[in-house]
Amino acid sequence: MLFNSLIFIYLFLPLSLLVYYLADGRYKNLILLLSGFIFFAWGGISYSFLLIASTLINYAAGLLMAGTADKRKRKIILVSGILLNLFPLILFKYTGFFTDTLSVITSVFGVKPLTVAQFILPLGISFYSFKAITYLMSVHRDECPAEKNYIDLALFISIFPQVIAGPIDRYRNLAPQLKSRNYSFEMMASGIRRFALGLGKKVLIANTLGMAADEIFARSSANLSLPVAWLGALTYTLQIYYDFSGYTDMAIGLGRMFGFTFIENFNFPYQSKTVKEFWQRWHMSLSNWLRDYLYLPLAYSTSRKLKAYSYFGIRADYIIYIVATAVTFIVCGFWHGAAWTFIIWGMLHGLFLIIEQLGLRKFLKHRIALLQHAYLLFFIVVSWVVFRSSSLDSAVHYIGIMFGLGTAPARMDIVLEFLNPGFIAAFVIAVAGSTSLFQNLLTLSVRSRDLKTKAVRALSVHFFEISIILSILFVLAISTLFILAGTNNSFIYFQF
Amino acid sequence: MRRTLYIYSVLLSVLFFCLMTFVFMNNIFHFFTPKEISLYENRYLARKPFWNLGCADPYPRAFENFYNDHFPYRINLNDFNAGVINYRILHKSPYPNKVAFGKDNWMFFEIERPLYQGDFMIDRNQVIDVVAKLHQRAEYFRKRGIKFYFISPPCKQELYPEFLPSRFYRCPGGTATDKIIARLKQDTSIPYIDIKQPLLDAKKRGLPVYYKTDTHWNSWGAYFGYLEVMKQMNKDFPSLKPLAESDFTISYPVIKGKNLVEVMNLTNYISDEDVIISVKNSKTRTGKLHNYPKHPGSNFPGEYVRYTGDTTRPKLMVISDSFVYGIMPFFDEGTNRTVYIYDTGTYGVNENIVDDVKPDMVLMIIYEPHLVNLIGIPN
């Protein structure tokens, strides 16, 4: 089930909220857990057994770890637990990629290509597997006690707002909230506001931009010209941000409706000046996860092996940084998808992080802010092309066209055809909204209340709150209309 | 101020819940019940699926389809979105995956786009298979001493490329249709009549041959297609004389937008120009139907029978898709009896009907994008 579907907004959500708030406090977690299973099962009932198995395995692993003080045993349980979490992820997500790659290699030696059953990727497996690992790590590091209540742990792993696309929350953040939560109308209203914001970002902006991006990226390189290629790349850059951050906003909003406070996942990433800063603002729950559970342990273990000050004239701390960053970003790319485009995308980010560390960041620091932003945006736009392309070959061609290596004539009429009023509105709002402009205006408007007389202040509060409510209802109504349009399934010829 | 903010939080929560509940309550009380059939979508609405534990995986998708189809006021809301928001305000196609808005109010069927652009391609063996299927049909009629003719009306993208949206393109190397037609022309046993050039010639004369808002040809297009067929038929049956332009009265009424507008339910917003060609002193009458079974899955009449009663003229059987409707009035006049069989998708020889009708000649009309249907590829 998707948040931006009619069945979720108008059936699942009201029903879940109703039952949740009518139920006694003791049963709220159970109700939310069952809601999570139903929500997840909507993407494939058979796969929900996978989620249930994951909750049972992690519950048992946590208790086993807590039951022994033997460090070696605890480590064995931790590693086994992590492997058991990663096994279905590798099986369902990466089997096809590995066998395809192996087939390419073995075909050189005349070996027949391998054929394996094609699996359908269970929804959210990359997210809930990583979340489950945070629990095991927290217990292993004694950050939190092992959860004795199965319902609470299962809820942590499968809580429906987070189960499909994160944020990849930490157990230590959610553990106290699993025990007790505060409910208030302010919290509910704040959740509704955030949910509506996310819905609008996804349905009205990302989907509108996505139609143009999809069409442009589907064009063969022979029919793609420089301006159209740039339009596609810029549009996709905005689409992916609004799509993902919109989904996260909806998740955070839904969490608040049920009394939870989830971690934030985005903080205006396109305002960054360096790739390093970008990863401090983009998909923060993933980058923090990778930092804590991959990068730092890797850097630590590498540093223990490197005893000398430098190797081949390179300082050991640089080598540690290079090794840890390279591995982390290859894994990061691979986590996003089982294809070489994702791996290369991850490697590009890793490479630029290393280059920045080796001196580029220092160089940029002394340049004007505009240049720093331009550098980051240029890199991000190009790297998204690799991410979005169907193959490395098409990514190379696409980027080549962006830099004038295409053969198609640069016809502006094709560009203008994409620029219908709806697209222009979505694009302009998307550009403005990817900066902190709207947030600053909002803060300014709230602060300016203090400068006014009591009567004017009261009036401005009423005006502001009514505007917000009307905007939310408007966004919900228009988003519903746009989602409904997707249910149109008309045929030229009769189908009855 | 805290109290004011609290009141607005309550208000927002209540309004949000009311909005969701309004729709939700409909699931319980059914105060809005849509019809079984969506007329403008030309389909049945999805039905509530049965729960079967042994085959549970398809249930959520099927239930969601049912839920979406029965969403209260879905059609009205979609009409508002299509007509007011998309067409009037945003000036764009409400369903860009179905209909592309071209230049000068021309519309094109988006589903045909990959074929036109050359993105949809079939391999050499598939091309051979398509032609072989037509060859089988030609052989079938030849063995029975029935004259067989075959035409394939081109899609309007081929005739009016200047009105296509700029973003449409052609891949180098031609289209699947080009390959089929080229191969078809090599097989001399298939009496293929190329009608593309006559249609282009008529267009050059300034005559509209296709509708702006429909995938089909209009009466002028059908007439010039008919003329080209008659040239061949006349060689085999000299008694057949084609109708001249002077045999008609012609009018150009403004009508509601046609099939491409209908699929968007925008007939109240978009009009088109029709071409009405009426044969002066028509002698044609509707004949008694044989009640041949309808084509499976189709609601169209499987059969039309027209006759003039002039026994000196040959009997014609036409096996066709929807392109038959424009061309019918012209053939009606020239033959003794004409039986039209609507057989889109299959385009079979319809052996039982042939044995019953005993035609002197058979004309098969297959819309170009439907040629691949012959080897089971849906268009």
Side-chain angles (χ1 to χ4, degrees):
Chain A
M1 203 181 295
L2 298 172
F3 297 156
N4 56 315
S5 63
L6 296 172
I7 200 159
F8 177 81
I9 302 170
Y10 294 104
L11 183 61
F12 181 86
L13 183 58
L15 200 60
S16 303
L17 282 170
L18 196 70
V19 177
Y20 182 80
Y21 278 103
L22 286 177
D24 184 80
R26 285 171 296 170
Y27 303 114
K28 284 195 191 303
N29 280 2
L30 178 65
I31 287 160
L32 210 48
L33 174 66
L34 293 176
S35 306
F37 285 154
I38 294 168
F39 178 86
F40 188 82
W42 215 252
I45 288 174
S46 313
Y47 288 137
S48 52
F49 293 107
L50 214 60
L51 181 67
I52 294 168
S54 169
T55 60
L56 289 169
I57 287 166
N58 288 292
Y59 177 67
L63 289 182
L64 284 172
M65 249 192 288
T68 176
D70 185 337
K71 279 190 175 178
R72 200 171 147 268
K73 272 187 186 170
R74 283 169 67 88
K75 197 161 191 178
I76 290 170
I77 296 164
L78 172 74
V79 173
S80 311
I82 291 174
L83 289 176
L84 283 170
N85 275 303
L86 293 179
F87 175 71
L89 181 63
I90 293 165
L91 178 73
F92 286 100
K93 193 167 176 177
Y94 300 111
T95 308
F97 173 80
F98 287 131
T99 49
D100 288 351
T101 309
L102 204 62
S103 294
V104 171
I105 296 165
T106 53
S107 67
V108 177
F109 306 103
V111 179
K112 274 187 178 177
L114 290 166
T115 48
V116 287
Q118 291 292 313
F119 296 110
I120 298 169
L121 186 66
L123 271 177
I125 190 165
S126 308
F127 289 90
Y128 75 73
S129 302
F130 270 36
K131 248 175 95 182
I133 290 171
T134 72
Y135 166 69
L136 295 180
M137 293 297 285
S138 293
V139 175
H140 183 257
R141 291 175 179 179
D142 289 328
E143 290 169 353
C144 302
E147 180 58 69
K148 292 194 176 71
N149 184 332
Y150 168 74
I151 291 171
D152 287 359
L153 181 71
L155 179 60
F156 163 71
I157 294 171
S158 58
I159 187 166
F160 79 81
Q162 290 188 342
V163 76
I164 285 183
I168 307 167
D169 224 323
R170 300 302 178 86
Y171 179 69
R172 61 171 180 259
N173 175 43
L174 284 190
Q177 300 181 53
L178 293 168
K179 301 298 173 198
S180 79
R181 298 181 284 280
N182 294 324
Y183 305 102
S184 66
F185 275 111
E186 284 91 341
M187 184 88 160
M188 174 63 79
S190 138
I192 294 167
R193 281 197 291 269
R194 193 70 186 264
F195 179 78
L197 174 72
L199 188 68
K201 279 166 90 171
K202 167 78 184 122
V203 176
L204 306 181
I205 295 181
N207 289 0
T208 304
L209 298 174
M211 276 192 285
D214 287 350
E215 179 155 352
I216 293 170
F217 274 90
R219 293 176 86 89
S220 62
S221 47
N223 295 295
L224 188 66
S225 63
L226 185 142
V228 177
W230 273 102
L231 180 71
L234 291 171
T235 304
Y236 182 68
T237 300
L238 291 170
Q239 184 210 342
I240 191 167
Y241 171 56
Y242 276 83
D243 197 288
F244 197 5
S245 70
Y247 215 80
T248 301
D249 286 337
M250 286 190 270
I252 292 172
L254 288 165
R256 286 183 195 166
M257 289 186 209
F258 288 93
F260 286 89
T261 306
F262 295 157
I263 53 166
E264 291 292 336
N265 219 9
F266 294 90
N267 182 23
F268 304 109
Y270 294 156
Q271 279 198 162
S272 310
K273 293 173 181 171
T274 59
V275 177
K276 187 181 178 185
E277 190 188 349
F278 175 79
W279 280 100
Q280 288 162 352
R281 291 163 170 268
W282 175 274
H283 201 174
M284 295 183 293
S285 63
L286 175 70
S287 51
N288 290 344
W289 192 101
L290 289 170
R291 182 197 62 203
D292 292 352
Y293 301 127
L294 185 63
Y295 174 84
L296 290 176
L298 207 61
Y300 181 63
S301 69
T302 314
S303 70
R304 278 195 302 181
K305 283 172 191 149
L306 300 180
K307 305 289 183 198
Y309 177 75
S310 68
Y311 293 86
F312 310 109
I314 305 169
R315 270 166 44 190
D317 58 336
Y318 279 140
I319 294 176
I320 293 163
Y321 183 82
I322 290 168
V323 170
T325 304
V327 173
T328 304
F329 274 85
I330 288 170
V331 171
C332 174
F334 207 36
W335 180 87
H336 280 84
W340 282 105
T341 46
F342 297 110
I343 296 172
I344 299 294
W345 171 80
M347 286 167 78
L348 273 174
H349 277 262
L351 179 69
F352 272 76
L353 276 167
I354 292 166
I355 294 172
E356 282 179 3
Q357 182 70 13
L358 294 178
L360 183 62
R361 199 157 48 240
K362 266 187 192 164
F363 170 80
L364 287 168
K365 208 174 177 181
H366 301 295
R367 302 292 176 276
I368 55 166
L370 190 69
L371 184 76
Q372 298 176 49
H373 288 301
Y375 149 73
L376 186 272
L377 284 175
F378 183 77
F379 169 75
I380 291 297
V381 170
V382 173
S383 69
W384 281 136
V385 171
V386 180
F387 189 91
R388 174 63 178 79
S389 296
S390 54
S391 67
L392 275 183
D393 192 42
S394 41
V396 169
H397 279 108
Y398 195 105
I399 293 169
I401 291 163
M402 285 169 76
F403 294 99
L405 298 177
T407 51
R411 285 172 48 194
M412 286 311 288
D413 58 332
I414 298 178
V415 175
L416 292 173
E417 212 168 76
F418 284 105
L419 307 184
N420 61 61
F423 177 89
I424 294 170
F427 195 91
V428 170
I429 294 169
V431 170
S434 61
T435 69
S436 50
L437 178 74
F438 292 137
Q439 201 181 57
N440 293 343
L441 285 175
L442 212 64
T443 314
L444 203 68
S445 138
V446 173
R447 277 188 192 158
S448 68
R449 284 175 190 164
D450 300 336
L451 307 172
K452 295 163 187 168
T453 61
K454 199 176 174 187
V456 175
R457 191 158 62 226
L459 204 65
S460 80
V461 168
H462 287 300
F463 177 76
F464 182 80
E465 291 299 322
I466 290 170
S467 307
I468 293 282
I469 289 175
L470 291 177
S471 307
I472 287 166
L473 294 178
F474 178 77
V475 167
L476 281 173
I478 296 287
S479 298
T480 301
L481 280 180
F482 276 43
I483 298 167
L484 255 181
T487 69
N488 174 292
N489 189 17
S490 51
F491 292 89
I492 287 263
Y493 299 107
F494 294 126
Q495 297 292 311
F496 45 78
Chain B
M1 189 154 87
R2 180 167 279 186
R3 187 174 160 71
T4 311
L5 292 175
Y6 175 78
I7 290 167
Y8 279 113
S9 294
V10 174
L11 182 66
L12 177 60
S13 306
V14 169
L15 283 172
F16 179 72
F17 206 71
C18 284
L19 178 70
M20 287 192 306
T21 311
F22 167 73
V23 182
F24 173 64
M25 294 307 259
N26 182 61
N27 297 303
I28 299 165
F29 298 112
H30 304 286
F31 48 79
F32 170 84
T33 312
K35 289 171 186 163
E36 284 280 292
I37 290 173
S38 169
L39 285 174
Y40 91 93
E41 289 173 294
N42 281 339
R43 67 175 178 97
Y44 283 113
L45 296 181
R47 295 190 179 145
K48 199 173 190 172
F50 292 103
W51 171 254
N52 177 0
L53 194 60
C55 181
D57 276 338
Y59 184 85
R61 168 56 50 197
F63 185 85
E64 194 163 349
N65 287 341
F66 161 77
Y67 182 85
N68 288 343
D69 271 0
H70 293 77
F71 193 85
Y73 307 106
R74 183 179 74 97
I75 301 229
N76 311 65
L77 292 169
N78 271 345
D79 284 356
F80 177 76
N81 181 37
V84 178
I85 296 180
N86 280 283
Y87 184 68
R88 284 268 191 261
I89 299 174
L90 300 177
H91 306 296
K92 70 180 192 69
S93 169
Y95 305 109
N97 58 340
K98 287 189 167 59
V99 180
F101 282 11
K103 292 158 192 160
D104 196 22
N105 300 323
W106 281 77
M107 289 175 192
F108 298 90
F109 196 25
E110 186 67 20
I111 290 159
E112 292 170 350
R113 184 173 167 192
L115 181 71
Y116 170 77
Q117 292 187 157
D119 295 325
F120 167 81
M121 193 45 77
I122 55 175
D123 62 31
R124 188 170 171 274
N125 288 336
Q126 289 172 311
V127 172
I128 292 169
D129 284 351
V130 171
V131 177
K133 296 282 181 191
L134 289 165
H135 184 90
Q136 284 170 7
R137 285 157 175 75
E139 278 298 293
Y140 173 86
F141 292 115
R142 190 185 62 76
K143 281 179 184 166
R144 280 157 183 75
I146 300 166
K147 285 288 173 189
F148 178 63
Y149 311 92
F150 171 60
I151 61 169
S152 188
C155 58
K156 78 177 185 187
Q157 292 88 327
E158 298 282 352
L159 293 170
Y160 291 97
E162 67 275 25
F163 295 115
L164 284 168
S166 303
R167 61 184 191 279
F168 277 45
Y169 57 83
R170 294 301 282 261
C171 289
T175 65
T177 311
D178 293 340
K179 290 189 174 175
I180 294 169
I181 299 292
R183 180 89 194 178
L184 199 57
K185 285 177 177 172
Q186 287 171 14
D187 189 335
T188 50
S189 64
I190 303 170
Y192 169 65
I193 303 165
D194 192 347
I195 57 170
K196 189 175 174 183
Q197 194 52 48
L199 290 171
L200 286 170
D201 291 342
K203 184 189 155 197
K204 268 186 202 161
R205 278 177 55 192
L207 296 172
V209 289
Y210 276 63
Y211 289 102
K212 279 185 171 182
T213 64
D214 200 293
T215 48
H216 296 94
W217 54 21
N218 60 19
S219 293
W220 273 127
Y223 173 67
F224 288 104
Y226 152 83
L227 273 188
E228 202 60 22
V229 175
M230 285 302 282
K231 278 185 198 165
Q232 295 301 316
M233 286 182 170
N234 182 253
K235 287 177 190 166
D236 300 321
F237 300 93
S239 64
L240 284 175
K241 296 281 180 253
L243 293 167
E245 288 178 39
S246 56
D247 294 327
F248 309 129
T249 55
I250 302 160
S251 60
Y252 297 92
V254 173
I255 54 167
K256 285 187 170 185
K258 289 180 68 74
N259 69 2
L260 293 173
V261 172
E262 285 163 5
V263 294
M264 300 184 288
N265 215 9
L266 290 179
T267 47
N268 290 332
Y269 296 87
I270 301 170
S271 58
D272 202 348
E273 185 183 78
D274 203 355
V275 182
I276 304 285
I277 297 182
S278 308
V279 181
K280 293 174 193 165
N281 307 317
S282 172
K283 297 183 184 75
T284 312
R285 273 165 280 172
T286 301
K288 194 179 165 196
L289 296 178
H290 299 82
N291 289 320
Y292 300 121
K294 286 174 186 172
H295 185 68
S298 169
N299 198 40
F300 279 94
E303 148 199 24
Y304 294 94
V305 178
R306 311 279 285 171
Y307 72 98
T308 59
D310 185 346
T311 52
T312 62
R313 292 176 181 178
K315 278 193 281 188
L316 170 66
M317 181 169 148
V318 179
I319 301 163
S320 178
D321 47 40
S322 49
F323 272 72
V324 76
Y325 298 115
I327 214 166
M328 279 169 66
F330 308 114
F331 281 118
D332 288 353
E333 293 298 324
T335 58
N336 169 10
R337 183 181 187 84
T338 311
V339 177
Y340 299 93
I341 302 298
Y342 184 87
D343 192 14
T344 189
T346 314
Y347 304 100
V349 292
N350 291 280
E351 195 165 0
N352 296 341
I353 304 174
V354 169
D355 288 345
D356 192 33
V357 174
K358 295 183 178 56
D360 301 298
M361 49 189 185
V362 167
L363 169 66
M364 187 169 274
I365 304 173
I366 304 180
Y367 179 41
E368 262 185 14
H370 291 192
L371 283 169
V372 289
N373 292 175
L374 291 172
I375 54 167
I377 300 174
N379 47 287

